[in-house]
Amino acid sequence: GAVVSQHPSWVICKSGTSVKIECRSLDFQATTMFWYRQFPKQSLMLMATSNEGSKATYEQGVEKDKFLINHASLTLSTLTVTSAHPEDSSFYICSAPDGGANQPQHFGDGTRLSIL
Amino acid sequence: DAKTTQPPSMDCAEGRAANLPCNHSTISGNEYVYWYRQIHSQGPQYIIHGLKNNETNEMASLIITEDRKSSTLILPHATLRDTAVYYCIVTGTASKLTFGTGTRLQVTL
């Protein structure tokens, strides 16, 4: 079945550094991908919609200069957390729909980001 | 997208059927009901979806009431591996999903 791969699965880095997370659709093409953030014991919150070949669409309250999204090909979207701080520590998850309207989303296994 | 209401938690004995309810009284005619689950520290997993007819796949059955204001996800023979948070999502587009708080299902021996 359709698979979405996310890398890395976990990362620990110092405050002030930038971290890039990759999301790949392995056996299907995705013109749109989605990025979510999940804090402990909370639900997933949609951060942004990644659009192949055009700018990402950010949800209200999400800083586009802080969370840079690039969707350079039909199988890859990247999320870069710039100048990360401890409050950016979270579980970041991507997803992509396989097929046309009303087809289910396929999710990556998430990236656990810890900023020291 | 229509809002959904789910009980915060449920318990189920292993081998028994788990019936997870979801209320979506404001659902509109073109909105589907989707179910996903999230096992601890993993990304969500798609389970099943439907518009108005009952649906069944290898994982579960989805029963939607005739007025479409509520639905029930049925796991016919729950196992310990089914312990997870189950999310019921109603949306007119499969792409943009709004996750609520879900139901934490605990399957016990």
Side-chain angles (χ1 to χ4, degrees), chain A residues 32 34 36 38 41-46 49 57 59 91 93 95 97 100-110 112, chain B residues 30-32 34 36 38 40-47 49 87 91-102 104:
Chain A
T32 302
F34 300 88
Y36 296 81
Q38 186 175 32
K41 298 187 177 183
Q42 295 186 21
S43 189
L44 283 77
M45 293 291 293
L46 179 65
T49 302
T57 306
E59 295 299 302
F91 192 48
I93 307 167
S95 73
N102 299 315
Q103 293 304 306
Q105 294 271 338
H106 299 282
F107 286 82
D109 276 337
R112 189 159 302 282
Chain B
N30 63 343
E31 290 184 314
Y32 283 70
Y34 288 84
Y36 289 81
Q38 186 178 26
H40 183 63
S41 296
Q42 296 181 22
Q45 176 189 23
Y46 165 76
I47 301 173
H49 75 285
Y87 295 99
T91 180
T93 168
S95 295
K96 198 168 180 178
L97 301 177
T98 300
F99 285 81
T101 53
R104 184 171 299 276

Side-chain angles (χ1 to χ4, degrees), chain A residues 50-82:
Chain A
S50 174
N51 303 299
E52 189 268 335
S54 65
K55 292 182 179 180
T57 306
Y58 291 82
E59 295 299 302
Q60 191 173 10
V62 177
E63 301 174 56
K64 62 180 180 181
D65 295 330
K66 173 77 171 176
F67 300 99
L68 301 180
I69 291 173
N70 184 275
H71 195 149
S73 77
L74 289 172
T75 59
L76 174 64
S77 174
T78 61
L79 168 69
T80 301
V81 183
T82 62

Side-chain angles (χ1 to χ4, degrees), chain B residues 6-12 20-21 84 101-106:
Chain B
Q6 299 177 252
S9 64
M10 293 182 65
D11 291 332
C12 179
L20 291 87
T101 53
T103 296
R104 184 171 299 276
L105 175 67
Q106 180 68 53

Side-chain angles (χ1 to χ4, degrees), chain A residues 91, chain B residues 37-45 81-86:
Chain A
F91 192 48
Chain B
R37 72 180 182 183
Q38 186 178 26
I39 296 171
H40 183 63
S41 296
Q42 296 181 22
Q45 176 189 23
R81 287 177 292 184
D82 292 320
T83 293
V85 178
Y86 287 77

